[in-house]
């Protein structure tokens, strides 16, 4: 559905992120900011974003930055983090300019946050 060039760019990015600790500065800043209601947090760079919060959904963009904001959260498909929480964001590169979903295991949020992001001020999509 997307171009061969995009497929080539994303070819190395579709595997699950390796188990690694979040950078301490990004982890320290991970939270919902009161002034805009967005989750600002560190994340794995080169994360593919998807139209829907499931791995089977088409890729609609690429989150190249390693510190991003997320506009809301949704329940979706089970992912490597062992839960079904996905965060929606504006990708750095997009097929069509729409927001996309990233599974919580690509975002450096703690599991207690992923269990109920609304409890900490992030709206549900």
């Amino acid at each position: 559905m997307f171009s061969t060039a995009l497929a080539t760019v994303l070819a190395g990015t579709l595997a699950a992120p390796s188990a690694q600790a979040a950078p301490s500065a990004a982890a320290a800043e991970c939270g919902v900011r009161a002034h805009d209601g967005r989750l600002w947090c560190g994340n794995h760079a080169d994360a593919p974003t998807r139209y829907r919060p499931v791995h089977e959904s088409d890729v609609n963009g690429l989150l190249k930055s390693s510190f991003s904001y997320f506009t809301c959260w949704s329940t979706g498909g089970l992912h490597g983090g062992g839960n079904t929480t996905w965060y929606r964001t504006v990708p750095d590169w997009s097929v069509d300019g729409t927001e996309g979903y990233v599974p919580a295991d690509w975002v450096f949020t703690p599991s207690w946050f992923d269990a109920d992001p609304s409890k900490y001020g992030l709206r549900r999509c």
Side-chain angles (χ1 to χ4, degrees):
M1 180 165 243
F2 50 89
S3 73
T4 305
L6 173 60
T8 302
V9 168
L10 296 178
T13 66
L14 298 178
S18 62
Q20 63 185 37
S24 60
E29 294 185 46
C30 190
V32 178
R33 294 183 182 173
H35 76 277
D36 64 6
R38 295 173 175 170
L39 168 64
W40 290 82
C41 198
N43 55 271
H44 289 281
D46 293 329
T49 61
R50 298 181 181 277
Y51 285 107
R52 294 181 301 112
V54 293
H55 285 293
E56 296 80 15
S57 181
D58 287 336
V59 170
N60 73 334
L62 189 62
L63 189 59
K64 298 189 71 60
S65 58
S66 61
F67 187 80
S68 306
Y69 71 83
F70 302 87
T71 57
C72 59
W73 72 278
S74 182
T75 300
L78 183 66
H79 54 72
N83 64 57
T84 57
T85 300
W86 290 63
Y87 296 103
R88 192 168 73 190
T89 189
V90 176
D92 298 311
W93 180 89
S94 176
V95 171
D96 57 10
T98 60
E99 289 188 344
Y101 290 91
V102 176
D105 63 332
W106 284 78
V107 182
F108 301 145
T109 49
S111 59
W112 51 262
F113 185 93
D114 294 338
D116 186 4
S118 292
K119 182 177 179 179
Y120 305 99
L122 187 63
R123 72 179 179 87
R124 189 174 188 131
C125 299

